[in-house]
Amino acid sequence: MSTTFKTIGNTFNMRPQTPSSTGSMSSRLTGESSDSPGSVVFGSPTVTANESDEGVGLSDPTKTHNRKEMLDLVNRLRNTGVQTDIDLPMIAVIGNQSAGKSSLIESISGITLPRSSGTCTRCPTECKLSYSAAPWKCIVKLHFSTDAKGMPIPVRLVPFGAPITAKSLVEDRIRRAQLAILNPSVDPNKYLHGEDISDANEVSFSRNYVSLEISGRDLADLSFVDLPGLIASVGRAGNERDIELVKSLVTSYIEKPSCVILLTVACETDFENQGAHHLAKTFDPEGKRTVGVLTKPDRIPTGDEPSWLKIIRNETEPLANNWYCVKQPSSQMLTKGITWAEARRHEDEFFTITQPWCSLELQYQKFLRTSNLTERLSMILSELIAKRLPEIQEELMNALQDTEAKLRELPRAPSSDPVGEVLHVLRNFTRDLSRRLEGTPDERGLLQTIRPHQEVFKRAIRETAPNFAPWEKKKADRKLPKAKFLANEEGDDKGLDSDSDLDSASGVEKPLGLSLPTIVGPPSRYSKEIYIDEVFEGAQLARTRELPDNYPFVVQKAYIEQFTKKWRQPAMDLFDEVYAILKTDLTNLVEDHFANMGKGNAKQSVLMIVYDHLDEAAIRTKQKIEWLLELEKAPTTLNTHYYSDYKDKFLAYYKGCREDSDLVSKLKSYPMGTRAPGFKVDAHNSISKVLSGLSEIGMTAKAIDLPKLLPPDPMEAALNIMAGVRAYFQVAFKRFADMVPIAIDYEIVLGLEKDIDKALQDGLQITGPEGYTRCKTMLQELTSVASRRQDVQKKMERLQAARQELKRLM
């Protein structure tokens, strides 16, 4: 019959041992296995042994070497503490209090565990058994991964005394080691060498554990963790919290998918009352990774044997890896000092001559005795490790990558040169600030964000143009035609679709005591017009000692003041928008460079400094805007050609509008392809003759210029005032619409970079005598960040150490 190992969910078959082969160490090491109804969920490659093979386990040199290698690897991985991050294969021994768990551990390991009243095991005990031709030896170590409050700490593996070569000394050493585990803040040497040891402990139970490395000739290659027994109740001196504390501790082990649960059940207690079984079933409901062990079979009440035999036959509460039954020495035997070898002989005699065990079917005999259990556990664990090894390697690499990413996400660790580090960050900040202020080819750039507001400002200034109407108020129903010469010049006028020469504002005030319409309020296409008779009347009232055909400049100045007074608000609006944009951009830039520096104090300090620097630039900018506004209060220009050209255009425009509308439309449509209503061919020819005649006498003109040849208008003076004011507006508004954005850009945008380095260094006081201390304080991390960094770095150390162990296997 062949021995077959199959993958997850399939059977794991072994040839049965004959009754005569069970009981001695030599037969245990060479015994053959039989078909087993159980299955190992931890899949492994299929292995077939020939009939001539002399068994499995320690007797087979190849299997022994591979098994030992696998177990040693996991033990080394556990020493790194990586089990916190990766699910490592392991065997966890669980059971109710007084279920015979300690006796089972003693029979497997060959050592004596401490016994006292109440709960004996108050911390996990890791047993690493290995076969060795060298003399028997036990090394005790303390594995600390949490402090007295249960908080994670860097993994510490502390040797606890010299290696032990006499089994009689192990019990006392373990008892002292457990006390050291339960008092993590005390120097372990106090418990190692102390004579007067108090039973008062810092914690009642601990996740830290005692590690035993035991080697010798009579040992199988096996590792397991003995967990505290589950408590059903506590006495008067006990703590109710301990019940849940132990349950939580056991759960933290058996909930992991790669944990083999070695479940101990005492036959002297009703099976249904075994809390450990219920807990194991919670996390392994199908029983695929649980190995059951029945203890104290000599205490089965008379008549109850059949129910326990059904369990051994896997008929009741079946498990994929079956149930086993062991017989440990009684209390009297232990008191008399029975040896391990004597205990195994006594166990073998019990199952050989005691009913109903001696009559159990041959195929189930291999589920009796500690030696069979130990051999099976060793094989299950080694096969599980072999199966999990590729997965462990992959999980380890993924965990390393994830941890590296988390380290990169953390703020930079505080530098050993705090002054240099702070200066480096400041240089990067000012460099990026300079780049932003200078301008970047980016749709979200600072200048790109400001530009739309500059266009709004320009339009707002242009919309303050005086809305002159070159006819009397009684003809208010007339509408101004389009001023196409403006549309050709102003790219965003869109041809001035309104009937006015420019959109303007409404409202009236009387500057200088004159009855002059004032342009205030919001711009509107339907604003009140300034009629020519109102302009003429105002001009007449303003005359003093001038000649009859002259009018004082105060008339034009009054109208100019009306529109220049309204320029302050758009200018300040533009300033406010630019200031807000700069402040937001500064805030984001400071956030990018200083948000992760220290506890956040540096960011707040830098924000205050740059805000103050921005406010200083803002004061200068407002002063410059006010200066420009003051300049505009005295109407003047050296751009005489531009002014004269516009005045002529507006004068012709206004005169043309005052003449017969039919004539004006004819003149305007003359050069166009379409004709005005009522326009006759004769009129077209007449205009052509006039233009030809003018050309013959040396005068070049267009049809639109012909209104200038019309007879003098009685409102000529008003027309001149209107044309002059309107022409000056074109000169002044373009000048102002340029100068204000330029001044803002120079003073607060480009000007923000001026002396920013000095402001930051002086404000942060990093170059003075206290500079080093201040920089160190600025870089000091938040406690939460420092703690997170420490945790991630500890994890990285564990993972890297585990990686080195895996490399050794390669």
Coordinates of all heavy atoms in Angstrom, one line a residue, residues 453-525:
H453 N -9.9 88.3 -14.7 CA -10.3 89.4 -13.8 C -9.7 90.7 -14.4 O -10.4 91.8 -14.2 CB -9.8 89.2 -12.4 CG -10.3 88.0 -11.7 ND1 -11.6 87.9 -11.2 CD2 -9.8 86.7 -11.5 CE1 -11.8 86.7 -10.7 NE2 -10.7 86.0 -10.9
Q454 N -8.6 90.7 -15.1 CA -8.1 91.9 -15.7 C -9.0 92.2 -16.9 O -9.3 93.4 -17.1 CB -6.7 91.6 -16.3 CG -5.6 91.4 -15.2 CD -4.3 91.0 -15.7 OE1 -4.2 90.4 -16.8 NE2 -3.2 91.3 -15.0
E455 N -9.6 91.3 -17.6 CA -10.5 91.6 -18.7 C -11.8 92.1 -18.2 O -12.4 93.1 -18.8 CB -10.8 90.3 -19.5 CG -9.6 89.7 -20.2 CD -9.0 90.7 -21.3 OE1 -9.9 91.4 -21.9 OE2 -7.8 90.7 -21.5
V456 N -12.3 91.6 -17.0 CA -13.5 92.2 -16.4 C -13.2 93.6 -16.0 O -14.1 94.5 -16.2 CB -13.9 91.3 -15.2 CG1 -15.0 92.0 -14.4 CG2 -14.3 89.9 -15.6
F457 N -12.0 93.9 -15.5 CA -11.7 95.3 -15.1 C -11.7 96.2 -16.3 O -12.3 97.3 -16.3 CB -10.3 95.3 -14.4 CG -9.7 96.6 -14.3 CD1 -10.2 97.6 -13.4 CD2 -8.7 97.0 -15.2 CE1 -9.6 98.8 -13.3 CE2 -8.1 98.2 -15.1 CZ -8.5 99.2 -14.2
K458 N -11.1 95.7 -17.4 CA -11.0 96.6 -18.6 C -12.4 96.9 -19.1 O -12.7 98.0 -19.5 CB -10.2 95.8 -19.6 CG -10.0 96.6 -20.9 CD -9.2 95.8 -21.9 CE -9.0 96.6 -23.2 NZ -8.2 95.8 -24.2
R459 N -13.3 95.9 -19.1 CA -14.6 96.1 -19.6 C -15.4 97.0 -18.7 O -16.2 97.9 -19.1 CB -15.3 94.7 -19.7 CG -16.7 94.8 -20.3 CD -17.4 93.4 -20.4 NE -16.6 92.6 -21.4 CZ -16.8 92.6 -22.7 NH1 -17.7 93.4 -23.2 NH2 -16.1 91.8 -23.4
A460 N -15.2 96.9 -17.4 CA -15.9 97.7 -16.4 C -15.5 99.2 -16.6 O -16.3 100.1 -16.5 CB -15.6 97.3 -15.0
I461 N -14.2 99.5 -16.9 CA -13.7 100.8 -17.1 C -14.3 101.4 -18.4 O -14.8 102.5 -18.5 CB -12.2 100.9 -17.2 CG1 -11.6 100.4 -15.8 CG2 -11.7 102.3 -17.5 CD1 -12.0 101.3 -14.7
R462 N -14.3 100.5 -19.5 CA -14.8 101.0 -20.7 C -16.3 101.3 -20.7 O -16.9 102.2 -21.4 CB -14.6 100.0 -21.8 CG -14.8 100.5 -23.2 CD -14.4 99.5 -24.3 NE -15.1 98.3 -24.3 CZ -14.7 97.2 -24.0 NH1 -13.4 97.0 -23.6 NH2 -15.4 96.1 -24.1
E463 N -17.0 100.6 -19.8 CA -18.5 100.8 -19.7 C -18.9 102.1 -18.9 O -20.0 102.4 -18.8 CB -19.1 99.6 -19.0 CG -19.2 98.4 -19.9 CD -19.7 97.1 -19.3 OE1 -19.8 97.2 -18.0 OE2 -20.0 96.2 -20.0
T464 N -17.8 102.8 -18.5 CA -18.1 104.1 -17.8 C -18.1 105.2 -18.8 O -18.3 106.4 -18.4 CB -17.1 104.4 -16.7 OG1 -15.8 104.5 -17.3 CG2 -17.0 103.3 -15.7
A465 N -18.0 104.9 -20.1 CA -18.0 106.0 -21.1 C -19.3 106.8 -21.1 O -20.4 106.2 -20.9 CB -17.8 105.3 -22.5
P466 N -19.2 108.1 -21.3 CA -20.4 109.0 -21.3 C -21.3 108.6 -22.5 O -20.7 108.5 -23.6 CB -19.8 110.4 -21.4 CG -18.5 110.2 -21.9 CD -18.0 108.9 -21.4
N467 N -22.5 108.5 -22.3 CA -23.5 108.1 -23.4 C -24.2 109.4 -24.0 O -25.3 109.7 -23.6 CB -24.5 107.2 -22.8 CG -25.4 106.5 -23.9 OD1 -25.0 106.6 -25.1 ND2 -26.4 105.9 -23.5
F468 N -23.4 110.1 -24.8 CA -24.0 111.3 -25.4 C -24.9 111.0 -26.5 O -24.7 110.1 -27.3 CB -22.8 112.2 -26.0 CG -21.9 112.7 -24.9 CD1 -20.6 112.4 -24.8 CD2 -22.4 113.7 -24.0 CE1 -19.8 112.9 -23.8 CE2 -21.6 114.2 -23.0 CZ -20.2 113.8 -22.9
A469 N -26.0 111.8 -26.6 CA -27.0 111.7 -27.6 C -27.0 113.0 -28.4 O -27.4 114.0 -27.8 CB -28.4 111.4 -27.1
P470 N -26.7 113.0 -29.7 CA -26.5 114.3 -30.4 C -27.9 114.9 -30.9 O -27.9 115.4 -32.0 CB -25.6 113.9 -31.6 CG -25.9 112.5 -31.8 CD -26.2 111.9 -30.5
W471 N -28.9 114.7 -30.1 CA -30.2 115.4 -30.4 C -30.8 115.8 -29.2 O -30.5 115.4 -28.1 CB -31.1 114.4 -31.2 CG -31.2 113.1 -30.6 CD1 -31.9 112.7 -29.5 CD2 -30.6 111.9 -31.1 NE1 -31.7 111.4 -29.2 CE2 -30.9 110.8 -30.2 CE3 -29.7 111.6 -32.2 CZ2 -30.5 109.6 -30.4 CZ3 -29.3 110.3 -32.4 CH2 -29.7 109.3 -31.4
E472 N -31.9 116.6 -29.3 CA -32.5 117.2 -28.2 C -33.3 116.2 -27.5 O -33.7 115.1 -28.0 CB -33.5 118.4 -28.7 CG -32.8 119.6 -29.2 CD -32.2 119.4 -30.6 OE1 -32.4 118.3 -31.2 OE2 -31.4 120.3 -31.0
K473 N -33.6 116.5 -26.2 CA -34.3 115.5 -25.4 C -35.7 115.2 -25.9 O -36.2 114.1 -25.6 CB -34.4 116.1 -23.9 CG -34.9 115.2 -22.9 CD -34.8 115.8 -21.5 CE -35.2 114.8 -20.5 NZ -35.1 115.3 -19.1
K474 N -36.3 116.2 -26.6 CA -37.6 115.9 -27.1 C -37.7 114.8 -28.2 O -38.7 114.3 -28.5 CB -38.2 117.2 -27.7 CG -37.5 117.7 -28.9 CD -38.0 119.0 -29.4 CE -37.2 119.6 -30.6 NZ -37.8 120.9 -31.0
K475 N -36.5 114.5 -28.7 CA -36.4 113.4 -29.7 C -35.8 112.1 -29.0 O -35.0 111.3 -29.6 CB -35.5 113.8 -30.9 CG -36.0 115.0 -31.6 CD -35.1 115.3 -32.8 CE -35.6 116.5 -33.6 NZ -34.7 116.9 -34.7
A476 N -36.2 111.9 -27.8 CA -35.6 110.8 -27.0 C -35.9 109.4 -27.5 O -35.2 108.4 -27.2 CB -36.1 110.9 -25.5
D477 N -36.9 109.3 -28.4 CA -37.2 108.0 -29.0 C -36.2 107.6 -30.1 O -36.2 106.4 -30.5 CB -38.6 108.1 -29.6 CG -38.7 109.1 -30.7 OD1 -38.0 110.1 -30.6 OD2 -39.6 109.0 -31.5
R478 N -35.3 108.4 -30.5 CA -34.3 108.1 -31.5 C -33.2 107.2 -30.8 O -32.9 107.3 -29.6 CB -33.7 109.3 -32.1 CG -34.7 110.1 -32.9 CD -34.0 111.3 -33.6 NE -32.9 110.8 -34.5 CZ -32.2 111.7 -35.2 NH1 -32.3 113.0 -35.1 NH2 -31.2 111.2 -36.0
K479 N -32.6 106.4 -31.6 CA -31.5 105.5 -31.1 C -30.2 105.8 -31.9 O -30.2 106.1 -33.1 CB -31.9 104.1 -31.3 CG -33.1 103.6 -30.5 CD -32.9 103.8 -29.0 CE -34.1 103.3 -28.2 NZ -33.9 103.5 -26.8
L480 N -29.1 105.8 -31.2 CA -27.8 105.9 -31.9 C -27.5 104.7 -32.8 O -27.6 103.6 -32.3 CB -26.7 106.1 -30.9 CG -26.6 107.5 -30.2 CD1 -25.6 107.5 -29.1 CD2 -26.1 108.5 -31.2
P481 N -27.0 105.0 -33.9 CA -26.5 103.9 -34.8 C -25.2 103.3 -34.2 O -24.6 103.9 -33.3 CB -26.4 104.5 -36.1 CG -26.1 105.9 -35.9 CD -26.8 106.3 -34.6
K482 N -24.7 102.2 -34.8 CA -23.5 101.6 -34.3 C -22.3 102.5 -34.7 O -22.2 103.0 -35.8 CB -23.3 100.3 -35.0 CG -24.3 99.3 -34.6 CD -24.2 98.0 -35.3 CE -25.3 97.0 -35.0 NZ -25.1 95.7 -35.8
A483 N -21.3 102.6 -33.8 CA -20.1 103.4 -34.0 C -19.1 102.3 -34.5 O -18.3 101.8 -33.7 CB -19.6 104.1 -32.8
K484 N -19.1 102.1 -35.8 CA -18.2 101.0 -36.3 C -16.8 101.2 -36.2 O -16.0 100.3 -36.1 CB -18.6 100.7 -37.8 CG -20.0 100.2 -37.9 CD -20.4 99.8 -39.3 CE -21.8 99.3 -39.4 NZ -22.1 98.9 -40.8
F485 N -16.4 102.5 -36.1 CA -14.9 102.7 -36.0 C -14.4 102.3 -34.6 O -13.2 102.0 -34.4 CB -14.6 104.2 -36.2 CG -15.3 105.2 -35.2 CD1 -14.7 105.5 -34.0 CD2 -16.5 105.7 -35.5 CE1 -15.3 106.3 -33.1 CE2 -17.2 106.5 -34.6 CZ -16.6 106.9 -33.4
L486 N -15.3 102.2 -33.6 CA -15.0 101.6 -32.3 C -14.9 100.1 -32.4 O -14.0 99.5 -31.8 CB -16.0 102.1 -31.2 CG -15.9 103.5 -30.9 CD1 -17.0 103.8 -29.8 CD2 -14.6 104.0 -30.3
A487 N -15.9 99.5 -33.1 CA -15.9 98.1 -33.2 C -14.6 97.5 -33.8 O -14.1 96.5 -33.4 CB -17.1 97.6 -34.0
N488 N -14.1 98.2 -34.8 CA -12.9 97.8 -35.5 C -11.7 97.8 -34.6 O -10.7 97.2 -34.8 CB -12.7 98.6 -36.7 CG -13.7 98.4 -37.8 OD1 -14.3 97.3 -37.8 ND2 -13.9 99.4 -38.7
E489 N -11.7 98.7 -33.6 CA -10.6 99.0 -32.7 C -10.7 98.1 -31.4 O -9.6 97.6 -31.0 CB -10.5 100.4 -32.3 CG -9.3 100.8 -31.6 CD -9.1 102.3 -31.5 OE1 -9.2 103.0 -32.5 OE2 -9.1 102.8 -30.3
E490 N -11.8 97.9 -30.9 CA -12.0 97.2 -29.6 C -12.4 95.7 -30.0 O -13.5 95.5 -30.4 CB -13.1 97.8 -28.7 CG -12.8 99.2 -28.4 CD -11.6 99.4 -27.5 OE1 -11.2 98.4 -26.9 OE2 -11.0 100.5 -27.5
G491 N -11.4 94.8 -29.8 CA -11.6 93.5 -30.2 C -12.8 92.8 -29.5 O -13.4 91.9 -30.1
D492 N -13.1 93.2 -28.3 CA -14.1 92.5 -27.5 C -15.4 93.3 -27.5 O -16.3 93.0 -26.7 CB -13.7 92.2 -26.1 CG -13.2 93.4 -25.4 OD1 -13.0 94.5 -26.0 OD2 -13.0 93.3 -24.2
D493 N -15.6 94.3 -28.4 CA -16.8 95.0 -28.4 C -17.9 94.3 -29.2 O -19.0 94.6 -29.2 CB -16.6 96.4 -29.1 CG -16.0 97.4 -28.1 OD1 -16.1 97.1 -26.9 OD2 -15.5 98.4 -28.5
K494 N -17.4 93.3 -30.0 CA -18.3 92.5 -30.8 C -19.2 93.4 -31.7 O -20.4 93.1 -32.0 CB -19.3 91.6 -29.9 CG -18.5 90.7 -29.0 CD -17.6 89.8 -29.6 CE -16.9 88.9 -28.6 NZ -16.0 87.9 -29.2
G495 N -18.6 94.4 -32.3 CA -19.3 95.3 -33.2 C -20.3 96.2 -32.6 O -21.0 96.9 -33.2
L496 N -20.2 96.3 -31.2 CA -21.1 97.2 -30.5 C -22.5 97.1 -31.0 O -23.1 98.0 -31.6 CB -20.6 98.7 -30.7 CG -19.4 99.0 -29.9 CD1 -18.9 100.4 -30.2 CD2 -19.6 98.8 -28.4
D497 N -23.1 96.0 -30.7 CA -24.5 95.7 -31.1 C -25.5 96.7 -30.6 O -26.6 96.8 -31.1 CB -24.9 94.3 -30.8 CG -24.0 93.3 -31.6 OD1 -23.6 93.7 -32.6 OD2 -23.8 92.1 -31.1
S498 N -25.2 97.3 -29.5 CA -26.2 98.3 -29.0 C -26.3 99.5 -29.9 O -25.4 99.7 -30.7 CB -25.8 98.7 -27.6 OG -24.7 99.5 -27.6
D499 N -27.3 100.2 -29.7 CA -27.5 101.4 -30.5 C -26.8 102.6 -30.0 O -26.8 103.7 -30.6 CB -29.0 101.8 -30.6 CG -29.8 100.7 -31.4 OD1 -29.1 100.1 -32.3 OD2 -31.0 100.5 -31.2
S500 N -26.2 102.5 -28.8 CA -25.4 103.6 -28.2 C -23.9 103.4 -28.7 O -23.5 102.4 -29.2 CB -25.4 103.5 -26.7 OG -24.9 102.3 -26.3
D501 N -23.2 104.5 -28.6 CA -21.8 104.4 -29.0 C -21.0 103.5 -28.1 O -20.0 102.8 -28.5 CB -21.1 105.8 -29.1 CG -21.2 106.5 -27.7 OD1 -22.0 106.2 -26.9 OD2 -20.3 107.4 -27.5
L502 N -21.3 103.4 -26.8 CA -20.7 102.5 -25.8 C -21.7 102.3 -24.7 O -22.5 103.2 -24.4 CB -19.4 103.0 -25.2 CG -18.2 102.7 -26.0 CD1 -17.0 103.4 -25.3 CD2 -17.9 101.2 -26.1
D503 N -21.7 101.1 -24.2 CA -22.6 100.9 -23.0 C -22.1 101.8 -21.9 O -20.9 102.0 -21.7 CB -22.5 99.4 -22.5 CG -23.1 98.5 -23.5 OD1 -23.9 98.9 -24.3 OD2 -22.8 97.3 -23.3
S504 N -23.0 102.4 -21.2 CA -22.7 103.3 -20.1 C -23.6 103.2 -19.0 O -24.4 102.3 -18.8 CB -22.6 104.8 -20.7 OG -23.9 105.1 -21.2
A505 N -23.6 104.2 -18.1 CA -24.3 104.1 -16.8 C -25.3 105.2 -16.8 O -25.3 106.2 -17.6 CB -23.4 104.2 -15.7
S506 N -26.2 105.1 -15.8 CA -27.3 106.1 -15.7 C -27.2 106.8 -14.4 O -26.5 106.4 -13.5 CB -28.6 105.4 -15.8 OG -28.8 104.5 -14.8
G507 N -28.0 107.8 -14.2 CA -28.0 108.6 -13.0 C -27.6 110.0 -13.2 O -26.9 110.3 -14.2
V508 N -27.8 110.9 -12.3 CA -27.5 112.3 -12.5 C -27.0 113.0 -11.3 O -27.5 112.7 -10.2 CB -28.8 113.1 -13.0 CG1 -28.5 114.6 -13.1 CG2 -29.3 112.5 -14.3
E509 N -26.0 113.8 -11.4 CA -25.5 114.6 -10.4 C -25.1 116.0 -11.0 O -25.1 116.1 -12.2 CB -24.4 114.0 -9.6 CG -23.1 114.0 -10.3 CD -21.9 113.5 -9.5 OE1 -22.2 113.0 -8.4 OE2 -20.8 113.6 -10.0
K510 N -24.9 117.0 -10.2 CA -24.5 118.3 -10.8 C -23.2 118.7 -10.3 O -23.1 119.5 -9.3 CB -25.6 119.3 -10.4 CG -27.0 119.0 -11.0 CD -28.0 120.0 -10.6 CE -29.4 119.6 -11.2 NZ -30.4 120.6 -10.8
P511 N -22.1 118.3 -10.9 CA -20.8 118.7 -10.5 C -20.6 120.2 -10.8 O -21.1 120.7 -11.8 CB -19.8 117.8 -11.3 CG -20.6 117.5 -12.5 CD -22.1 117.4 -12.1
L512 N -19.8 120.9 -9.9 CA -19.5 122.3 -10.1 C -20.7 123.1 -10.2 O -20.7 124.2 -10.7 CB -18.7 122.5 -11.4 CG -17.4 121.7 -11.4 CD1 -16.7 121.9 -12.8 CD2 -16.4 122.0 -10.3
G513 N -21.8 122.7 -9.6 CA -23.1 123.5 -9.6 C -23.7 123.6 -11.0 O -24.7 124.3 -11.1
L514 N -23.3 122.8 -11.9 CA -23.8 122.9 -13.3 C -24.9 121.8 -13.4 O -24.9 120.7 -12.8 CB -22.8 122.7 -14.3 CG -21.6 123.7 -14.2 CD1 -20.6 123.3 -15.3 CD2 -22.1 125.1 -14.4
S515 N -25.8 122.0 -14.3 CA -26.9 121.1 -14.6 C -26.4 120.0 -15.6 O -26.7 120.1 -16.8 CB -28.1 121.8 -15.1 OG -29.1 120.8 -15.4
L516 N -25.4 119.2 -15.1 CA -24.8 118.2 -16.0 C -25.2 116.8 -15.6 O -25.1 116.5 -14.4 CB -23.3 118.3 -16.0 CG -22.7 119.7 -16.4 CD1 -21.2 119.7 -16.2 CD2 -23.1 120.0 -17.9
P517 N -25.6 115.9 -16.5 CA -25.9 114.6 -16.1 C -24.7 113.8 -15.6 O -23.6 114.1 -16.1 CB -26.4 113.9 -17.4 CG -26.8 115.1 -18.3 CD -25.9 116.2 -17.9
T518 N -24.9 113.0 -14.6 CA -23.8 112.3 -14.0 C -23.9 110.8 -14.3 O -25.0 110.3 -14.4 CB -23.7 112.5 -12.5 OG1 -23.7 113.9 -12.3 CG2 -22.5 111.8 -11.9
I519 N -22.8 110.1 -14.6 CA -22.9 108.7 -15.0 C -22.5 107.9 -13.8 O -21.3 107.8 -13.4 CB -21.9 108.4 -16.1 CG1 -22.1 109.4 -17.3 CG2 -22.1 107.0 -16.7 CD1 -21.0 109.6 -18.2
V520 N -23.5 107.4 -13.0 CA -23.2 106.6 -11.9 C -24.1 105.3 -11.9 O -25.0 105.3 -12.7 CB -23.5 107.3 -10.6 CG1 -22.5 108.5 -10.4 CG2 -24.9 107.8 -10.5
G521 N -23.9 104.4 -11.0 CA -24.7 103.2 -11.0 C -24.2 102.2 -12.0 O -23.2 102.4 -12.7
P522 N -24.8 101.0 -12.0 CA -24.4 99.9 -12.9 C -24.5 100.2 -14.3 O -25.5 100.9 -14.7 CB -25.3 98.7 -12.4 CG -26.5 99.4 -11.9 CD -26.1 100.7 -11.3
P523 N -23.6 99.7 -15.2 CA -23.7 99.9 -16.6 C -25.0 99.2 -17.1 O -25.4 98.2 -16.6 CB -22.5 99.2 -17.2 CG -21.6 99.1 -16.0 CD -22.4 99.0 -14.8
S524 N -25.6 99.8 -18.1 CA -26.8 99.3 -18.7 C -26.9 99.7 -20.2 O -26.6 100.8 -20.5 CB -28.0 99.7 -17.9 OG -29.2 99.4 -18.6
R525 N -27.4 98.8 -21.0 CA -27.6 99.1 -22.4 C -28.8 100.1 -22.5 O -29.0 100.7 -23.6 CB -27.9 97.9 -23.2 CG -26.7 96.9 -23.3 CD -27.0 95.7 -24.1 NE -25.9 94.8 -24.2 CZ -24.9 94.9 -25.0 NH1 -24.8 95.9 -25.9 NH2 -23.9 94.1 -25.0

